[in-house]
Amino acid sequence: MQKEVIPILDFGSQYAQLIARRVRENGVYSELVRPDIPADKLRAMNPKGIILSGGPSSVYEPNSPKCDPAIFDINVPILGICYGMQIGALVLGGQVNPAKAREYGRARLSVISDDPLLHGLEGDMTVWMSHGDQVQQLPEQFKPLATTPTCPFAAARHRERPFWGVQFHPEVTHTPRGQQIFQNFLYEICKCSGDWTMGNFIDQTIARVREQVGDGKVICGLSGGVDSSVVAALLHKAIGNQLTCIFVDNGLLRKNERSLVETTFRDHFHIDLRTNDASEQFLHHLKGVTDPQQKRKIIGREFIEAFKREAQKIEGVEFLAQGTLYPDVIESGHGYAGTAANIKLHHNVGGLPAELGFELVEPLRDLFKDEVRKVGEMLNLPESIVWRHPFPGPGLAVRIIGEVTKERLDLLREADAIVLEELTAANLYRKTSQVFAVLLPIGTVGVMGDARSYDSVVAIRSVETTDFMTAEWSRLPYEVLATMSSRIVNEVKGISRVVYDISTKPPATIEWE
């Protein structure tokens, strides 16, 4: 079944992915495409409607992104957002000029004309502005729909063609009623049926995987993270015992991680799971290494070697599954309109496709992270896996500042386990985005019993974020932090001090290395 699709021409907006997510949240599949996609390719997608995103450029700059003017002849509804409105107005005869001052922030929008796009939004409402140019003059063919004190045409539509434009950003949370605008566009104007559900996605993906794989064998690099776990569960549902999962124990895992993965996938799902214990190999090659990038390179290289050794024991494998997500496709720079060739490789697979010559199976490449979690829930993966916080591919190696040794790994493992135990006990795990402990390369003086000690320092990092591109440090309750600190110092021999990281991203990153 051909799913309904709303292509989004991406003019470089920082919110482009957010537009796609808002459309999908309303039950309609959306896909980001190049801004200069030819009209005939767009028409071939059989879109129910088209959205033109915002962007940082001025429409009059020589190298600013432009769209094919013929898209306005496709005769499907088009919604232009900010820069997208300016492009549409310009192509259709309007005039765009620099605003007297760049508008950035909240504004009061007044609806002045009845229209399906703004149905149910009559009166005034708060919207988020972020633009330097704006439409200053509307041709006769346009009808103004809404205004703000500084923007005379904050929303407008063409009287004859199905083009609507808004100068503000309905996709951001700072426009509280923006979701209503998307619902109006998708259902009142585009007449979508809303058939994009995770249940439909699972059924369609299973059919697609069976068609691609046939009776061939597939191997999947399983890390225990959300993405690879959902891939494994989805493929097992599709092809059963044609799937073999390989779990590489690199010795850099969290406490009880290997046990969780083996119990979940081998015992609960009855998946053919092969575990390769390469912990000594990894530690040997990390000996004496302190540079973060060097650590990552060594771990990536050794992972490929360990995975290859295990994969070569399985006869007749033709396919390699990995957990590429839609943001990976987009961020590769080649992911538009089905032309993705340079996919960012999953951190636990690295360069394996080229190394082993397998054909890739990427069942999640159309999904955002929140959609992956929904699929995991529908496949009955345990909550401890579906909602687990992100964990870096190099594991605890990049949460140990300085050299990685077995002793330092054991210290961090115990401290990190205490942090997560207390976070969960306080019912804060699902309310935070990523929480972990970091072992610092310093010792400080302390008192243990009646004796002075000179032991290690652990930092606790806790952040809240919606996209992991920016993050705010969590205001964890003092009593929770006090319990974490007390337990770590008293239960983990070798740690005498605990500190709390209160840095935002940017300028800091979430991980320390």
Side-chain angles (χ1 to χ4, degrees):
M1 182 182 72
Q2 173 67 39
K3 58 178 176 272
E4 294 178 327
V5 62
I6 300 286
I8 300 165
L9 275 64
D10 181 4
F11 290 98
S13 170
Q14 60 180 319
Y15 304 130
Q17 289 191 36
L18 199 49
I19 298 171
R21 291 175 68 176
R22 292 291 175 262
V23 173
R24 293 185 183 195
E25 285 168 4
N26 281 291
V28 181
Y29 180 70
S30 61
E31 190 171 302
L32 288 166
V33 298
R34 296 179 58 88
D36 57 354
I37 181 173
D40 58 343
K41 282 194 174 181
L42 211 48
R43 188 181 283 107
M45 295 176 71
N46 195 27
K48 293 289 286 186
I50 297 167
I51 295 178
L52 312 180
S53 86
S57 304
S58 167
V59 292
Y60 291 115
E61 289 174 3
N63 296 320
S64 62
K66 302 289 193 294
C67 65
D68 182 348
I71 70 170
F72 296 96
D73 297 323
I74 295 177
N75 199 33
V76 297
I78 299 176
L79 173 62
I81 296 175
C82 200
Y83 184 89
M85 176 187 185
Q86 297 161 18
I87 281 279
L90 195 65
V91 171
L92 297 172
Q95 185 177 325
V96 179
N97 295 110
K100 291 180 181 177
R102 177 174 174 80
E103 281 198 294
Y104 185 83
R106 290 178 175 84
R108 201 72 188 156
L109 183 86
S110 299
V111 177
I112 59 172
S113 185
D114 184 41
D115 186 84
L117 184 69
L118 302 177
H119 181 70
L121 300 171
E122 294 76 10
D124 289 359
M125 67 174 186
T126 300
V127 297
W128 183 261
M129 293 284 197
S130 178
H131 63 93
D133 295 347
Q134 63 184 27
V135 178
Q136 294 283 6
Q137 185 176 324
L138 282 179
E140 289 184 8
Q141 302 98 314
F142 274 81
K143 174 184 177 182
L145 302 177
T147 183
T148 73
T150 55
C151 187
F153 308 113
R157 68 161 298 178
H158 198 282
R159 296 179 189 273
E160 298 163 7
R161 295 172 182 262
F163 175 76
W164 286 257
V166 294
Q167 188 59 71
F168 54 92
H169 289 275
E171 69 273 22
V172 301
T173 54
H174 304 310
T175 301
R177 301 180 71 187
Q179 192 72 299
Q180 181 68 51
I181 293 172
F182 283 109
Q183 288 174 6
N184 289 344
F185 179 68
L186 297 170
Y187 292 101
E188 300 279 335
I189 295 172
C190 298
K191 307 297 182 186
C192 293
S193 61
D195 60 1
W196 173 251
T197 67
M198 290 304 97
N200 285 343
F201 168 82
I202 290 172
D203 293 341
Q204 291 166 9
T205 301
I206 285 172
R208 193 166 65 243
V209 166
R210 286 173 178 165
E211 183 180 351
Q212 179 187 2
V213 171
D215 58 1
K217 287 187 179 180
V218 182
I219 55 171
C220 172
L222 184 59
S223 70
V226 179
D227 305 338
S228 67
S229 297
V230 172
V231 167
L234 186 56
L235 289 181
H236 187 251
K237 188 175 177 69
I239 58 174
N241 59 12
Q242 292 169 243
L243 172 70
T244 300
C245 290
I246 296 175
F247 176 69
V248 174
D249 183 352
N250 56 16
L252 309 171
L253 305 173
R254 287 169 286 199
K255 188 175 181 179
N256 298 327
E257 181 108 17
R258 175 170 168 175
S259 172
L260 173 67
V261 171
E262 291 180 335
T263 299
T264 301
F265 292 95
R266 186 177 290 152
D267 300 342
H268 177 69
F269 282 98
H270 306 294
I271 288 175
D272 179 11
L273 175 64
R274 315 286 179 91
T275 299
N276 183 284
D277 189 341
S279 50
E280 289 187 11
Q281 165 195 336
F282 278 81
L283 278 174
H284 170 73
H285 289 284
L286 287 168
K287 187 178 169 104
V289 177
T290 58
D291 179 71
Q293 286 306 103
Q294 191 63 20
K295 286 183 192 176
R296 289 178 180 273
K297 286 178 182 174
I298 290 169
I299 292 165
R301 182 192 71 215
E302 294 307 315
F303 176 85
I304 290 175
E305 290 304 313
F307 192 98
K308 279 168 63 178
R309 280 197 301 273
E310 202 62 41
Q312 285 163 359
K313 299 176 186 175
I314 307 165
E315 294 182 1
V317 176
E318 302 171 48
F319 300 91
L320 172 70
Q322 64 181 38
T324 308
L325 303 191
Y326 194 46
D328 300 334
V329 174
I330 297 164
E331 289 160 15
S332 71
H334 300 272
Y336 292 116
T339 60
N342 183 30
I343 306 304
K344 186 176 77 176
L345 294 170
H346 190 266
H347 67 239
N348 274 330
V349 176
L352 281 168
E355 289 271 344
L356 298 175
F358 295 146
E359 182 179 333
L360 280 179
V361 178
E362 298 172 307
L364 306 181
R365 60 173 291 127
D366 288 339
L367 300 188
F368 288 105
K369 190 77 164 191
D370 52 331
E371 294 171 322
V372 173
R373 293 191 196 277
K374 288 176 187 172
V375 171
E377 287 182 323
M378 296 187 75
L379 294 171
N380 295 317
L381 278 168
E383 184 177 333
S384 58
I385 285 182
V386 172
W387 290 100
R388 74 187 323 182
H389 291 177
F391 187 63
L396 296 179
V398 290
R399 292 179 179 173
I400 292 176
I401 313 303
E403 184 181 7
V404 179
T405 65
K406 185 178 185 306
E407 293 71 29
R408 299 189 79 204
L409 280 164
D410 290 340
L411 278 183
L412 181 57
R413 239 188 294 273
E414 293 301 322
D416 189 67
I418 290 170
V419 168
L420 295 179
E421 280 173 20
E422 292 304 325
L423 190 77
T424 304
N427 198 30
L428 292 170
Y429 191 87
R430 289 277 295 271
K431 296 175 184 175
T432 49
S433 303
Q434 193 169 352
V435 183
F436 54 90
V438 180
L439 187 63
L440 306 186
I442 55 174
T444 64
V445 69
V447 178
M448 289 291 183
D450 295 326
R452 286 166 66 85
S453 65
Y454 197 74
D455 291 324
S456 295
V457 179
V458 157
I460 296 173
R461 178 69 157 147
S462 178
V463 298
E464 292 164 29
T465 177
T466 55
D467 56 14
F468 290 90
M469 297 176 71
T470 62
E472 185 66 47
W473 60 276
S474 307
R475 273 63 171 175
L476 294 182
Y478 286 165
E479 57 269 23
V480 175
L481 289 172
T483 305
M484 290 176 179
S485 175
S486 176
R487 282 195 59 195
I488 290 170
V489 170
N490 285 289
E491 296 176 28
V492 186
K493 185 175 173 55
I495 296 175
S496 61
R497 192 176 297 268
V498 177
V499 298
Y500 191 51
D501 182 347
I502 59 168
S503 312
T504 59
K505 176 187 180 182
T509 54
I510 294 175
E511 296 285 349
W512 276 45
E513 285 195 344

